[in-house]
Amino acid sequence: MGEPIDQSEQDIQLMDVVRALLHRWPWIIASTILLTASCAIFAFTSVPIYRATAVIVPAGVDRGLGSLGASLGQLGGLASLVGINLASQDAESEEALAVLRSREFVEKFIHDKELLPRFFSQLWDQSKQEWAVPATKQPTLAKGFKYLTRRVLTVAKDKKTGLVNVTVDWRDPAEAADWANELVARMNTEMRGRAVARSSAYIAYLEAERGATQFVETREAINKVMEAQIQQRMIASVSQDYAFRIVDKAMPPDADDIWKPRRVRLIAMGFVAGGLLGCALVLMFAVVRGEFGVSRQPAKGWGSNLGK
């Protein structure tokens, strides 16, 4: 077993630490002031970012099935043959959110809004309205997609409530709100167009099948499924909020409602980090110079250890 540590030795070492910190307190003050000032300069000189959020919820429309789903009953196989889901419509909501995050959808939004010069303004010559770098170094839509999805756009779904937050962080508060609302509108338009095209294709297929069969029962079953698809196409054609309804429209935040940088928090973090860094530097310097109590008691040599 090792020798018990003398309590007085621990006290002496603690006092050495306190003595070293008090002896070189200007170092700690200087480090605190330096980091606090640096964080304050960054906080007040960096471009403020504003956050606008649109809260949406799945539209919950039955997509034209209504009470017809119960009447189809044994025709479930035929209904699933043409893509009709008599169960929950959660899959359509997830598909809509996937479209909102998809590269094709986002790149089209960037192209239509001409956002590449806004995202990469350091590479854009505003006076000449052209890129200031060679063609090989000009940002592409793929880079714009990464920029928007990683730094600007956030889509988050609350699994308990089903609400979805479409959030845009941007330096212009009005544009942040406009982009969030437009992205939701474009998503609904995209899903509405897909639903119309899908229903039209199903109806064309069913019409061909109805003309090819001579069985009355089968023709009646096909007519019911066609009726559901026609109703679904009608709802998709007239519903502006086809996939998601807006619960809370994105509104421009106030000029002083800055999302980041959080100035007060950043300055406080600089103050704490500066103090800790100053203490660490003082203690490291004291250890290098051997100022702590470990050197107060002479170490026992090999001979004395072996002689016991």
Side-chain angles (χ1 to χ4, degrees):
M1 296 180 62
E3 296 182 359
I5 299 176
D6 189 359
Q7 185 64 36
S8 62
E9 182 179 347
Q10 289 184 334
D11 295 339
I12 292 175
Q13 292 178 4
L14 179 59
M15 289 303 298
D16 286 342
V17 171
V18 175
R19 188 180 299 110
L21 295 176
L22 294 177
H23 181 65
R24 296 185 176 88
W25 63 266
W27 293 23
I28 303 175
I29 299 298
S31 174
T32 303
I33 293 176
L34 180 61
L35 262 70
T36 304
S38 300
C39 291
I41 292 173
F42 175 80
F44 286 96
T45 58
S46 59
V47 178
I49 302 298
Y50 299 89
R51 167 164 287 191
T53 302
V55 182
I56 58 178
V57 67
V61 181
D62 234 350
R63 303 294 183 259
L65 292 179
S67 59
L68 184 61
S71 64
L72 287 175
Q74 69 275 15
L75 304 178
L78 181 59
S80 38
L81 178 64
V82 294
I84 299 178
N85 184 9
L86 302 181
S88 173
Q89 297 295 328
D90 289 344
E92 291 191 17
S93 300
E94 293 299 329
E95 179 186 355
L97 294 180
V99 167
L100 181 59
R101 300 185 184 100
S102 67
R103 178 173 171 177
E104 180 182 5
F105 179 86
V106 171
E107 286 187 0
K108 189 176 187 304
F109 176 78
I110 295 173
H111 177 269
D112 294 345
K113 303 289 287 186
E114 299 180 349
L115 297 181
L116 286 181
R118 309 290 305 280
F119 291 165
F120 306 97
S121 56
Q122 70 278 9
L123 305 178
W124 179 257
D125 190 333
Q126 186 65 28
S127 59
K128 297 181 180 180
Q129 290 294 301
E130 62 182 17
W131 294 108
V133 294
T136 55
K137 296 184 179 180
Q138 294 177 9
T140 61
L141 285 174
K143 292 182 179 179
F145 167 76
K146 292 180 180 179
Y147 185 97
L148 189 141
T149 53
R150 295 178 182 178
R151 303 178 60 177
V152 178
L153 175 64
T154 304
V155 181
K157 181 178 181 179
D158 189 328
K159 295 183 178 180
K160 293 183 178 179
T161 62
L163 296 175
V164 178
N165 292 334
V166 179
T167 302
V168 173
D169 298 330
W170 188 241
R171 53 179 176 262
D172 188 312
E175 285 186 332
D178 290 341
W179 292 357
N181 293 325
E182 185 170 346
L183 283 167
V184 174
R186 283 176 174 245
M187 175 191 62
N188 277 321
T189 300
E190 175 69 20
M191 298 307 297
R192 186 168 62 249
R194 292 188 180 193
V196 170
R198 186 168 53 246
S199 295
S200 299
Y202 292 157
I203 292 172
Y205 169 80
L206 290 170
E207 287 178 343
E209 289 297 314
R210 183 179 60 182
T213 183
Q214 298 179 353
F215 296 100
V216 177
E217 295 81 0
T218 304
R219 292 172 66 90
E220 290 179 353
I222 291 176
N223 287 335
K224 289 184 178 180
V225 179
M226 283 183 62
E227 180 184 351
Q229 285 299 312
I230 292 172
Q231 187 177 357
Q232 183 174 352
R233 184 174 62 179
M234 177 194 67
I235 292 177
S237 299
V238 301
S239 299
Q240 295 298 320
D241 299 334
Y242 177 75
F244 281 87
R245 294 197 315 270
I246 295 181
V247 176
D248 187 9
K249 184 178 180 181
M251 301 297 292
D254 295 334
D256 58 349
D257 188 12
I258 299 174
W259 173 250
K260 60 181 179 181
R262 303 290 183 88
R263 293 172 176 172
V264 175
R265 182 184 301 180
L266 188 60
I267 294 173
M269 291 175 59
F271 178 82
V272 174
L276 294 176
L277 178 61
C279 293
L281 291 175
V282 168
L283 296 178
M284 289 175 60
F285 185 77
V287 169
V288 171
R289 298 194 57 174
E291 297 179 359
F292 286 163
V294 292
S295 60
R296 291 180 178 273
Q297 295 181 359
K300 297 180 180 180
W302 285 96
S304 59
N305 288 335
L306 294 174
K308 289 186 177 181

